[in-house]
Amino acid sequence: MNKMTLDRILQSQGFGTRKWCRELITDGEVRIAGEVCTDYRATPDTSGLVFTLFDEEWVYREHVYIALNKPPDIECSRKPSHHPGVLSLLPEQFSWRDVQPVGRLDHDTTGLLLLSDDGAFIHAQSSPKKHVPKLYLASTHDPVTPELLTQLMNGVKLHDEPAPLAAQSCSMVSSHQIEIVLEQGKYHQVKRMLAAAGNHCSALRRIAIGGLTLEALGLEEGEWCYLEADHLALLSDK
Ligand code: URA
């Protein structure tokens, strides 16, 4: 079994530097099973470990997998320039743990965004080989026509893409809204596909990734939750 000392455990969970975590422990701020533990060299079993820091309860997680309902005017980039960064919506520990968004949504796109500190997970989810379908609700400036849907399904040519890009599926929701499923995640893909098909995307919301839907997660805009194993399994459900 991997024996980690308590100071390293706290550090791994994003509570600051090892020195700072030692101070928290020796100051009596950490409890395990209701008992204050002032020994930073203690090696509690991390599987199922629940500890209390400043009277708040935390479950030890080797990695974190997070779903966020992204509001508008938030940037996904690591160095946001015009709007607050997405990590500003999450507890500070996640930045310390180097949590990153899985792919990006534009600053004005809302909806389901995954984040994690598990590099292998981020890589696998972002890989074009994985073909994870992503469902978007797009509002259009001009009315939706059958020709628009046909063009999106048949594929449209974007100027920097060698081959036309097609929707995996596409349907009309209302006179000015479509649902569109994409397997790729090219830069501004929905907006550029709609423009190439002669319309204009006026608002965009991602509502599902694989079988994981925002609705099932029940997240209001700006809210987040941990994804557990059953949620993660849904990501490969098509
Ligand atoms: N397509 C876009 O155009 N923007 C997004 O944020 C996601 C997909």
Side-chain angles (χ1 to χ4, degrees), residues 21-224:
C21 291
R22 278 186 186 179
E23 273 176 38
L24 293 174
I25 297 162
T26 48
D27 287 354
E29 300 294 358
V30 179
R31 287 171 187 265
I32 297 175
E35 299 290 321
V36 173
C37 179
T38 53
D39 178 8
Y40 66 78
R41 292 191 196 89
T43 55
D45 186 355
T46 50
S47 73
L49 176 66
V50 180
F51 59 93
T52 310
L53 176 63
F54 296 127
D55 294 327
E56 199 175 334
E57 206 167 80
W58 296 91
V59 174
Y60 171 86
R61 291 172 191 266
E62 185 180 354
H63 288 296
V64 286
Y65 306 92
I66 293 158
L68 169 74
N69 184 350
K70 180 189 169 298
D73 300 326
I74 293 287
E75 287 183 29
C76 288
S77 82
R78 270 175 168 258
K79 292 192 178 152
S81 48
H82 295 100
H83 302 278
V86 74
L87 288 171
S88 68
L89 301 175
L90 301 172
E92 204 187 346
Q93 298 92 263
F94 292 153
S95 302
W96 281 88
R97 291 187 70 146
D98 204 20
V99 163
Q100 298 171 32
V102 179
R104 289 186 183 183
L105 291 177
D106 299 334
H107 77 89
D108 53 353
T109 301
T110 59
L112 183 56
L113 179 71
L114 307 181
L115 301 101
S116 180
D117 61 352
D118 180 347
F121 172 78
I122 295 176
H123 181 74
Q125 285 297 314
S126 323
S127 162
K129 290 191 197 124
K130 188 123 198 275
H131 298 298
V132 185
K134 298 179 183 83
L135 170 61
Y136 296 88
L137 177 68
S139 303
T140 60
H141 180 266
D142 297 321
V144 176
T145 59
E147 293 73 41
L148 174 74
L149 302 180
T150 310
Q151 281 193 71
L152 295 171
M153 284 303 292
N154 289 346
V156 287
K157 180 82 184 74
L158 304 184
H159 83 273
D160 53 351
E161 291 296 330
L165 294 178
Q168 199 197 23
S169 69
C170 189
S171 60
M172 180 172 176
V173 174
S174 68
S175 67
H176 285 76
Q177 274 189 327
I178 59 166
E179 277 190 355
I180 178 166
V181 176
L182 298 181
E183 279 190 347
Q184 316 90 338
K186 309 274 182 194
Y187 180 67
H188 291 333
Q189 189 171 342
V190 175
K191 294 174 185 169
R192 287 161 73 218
M193 284 177 71
L194 276 166
N199 205 312
H200 172 77
C201 180
S202 54
L204 187 60
R205 181 169 181 72
R206 183 154 71 191
I207 50 186
I209 300 175
L212 184 68
T213 65
L214 254 191
E215 194 181 5
L217 291 168
L219 297 173
E220 296 294 324
E221 242 177 45
E223 283 184 351
W224 65 273

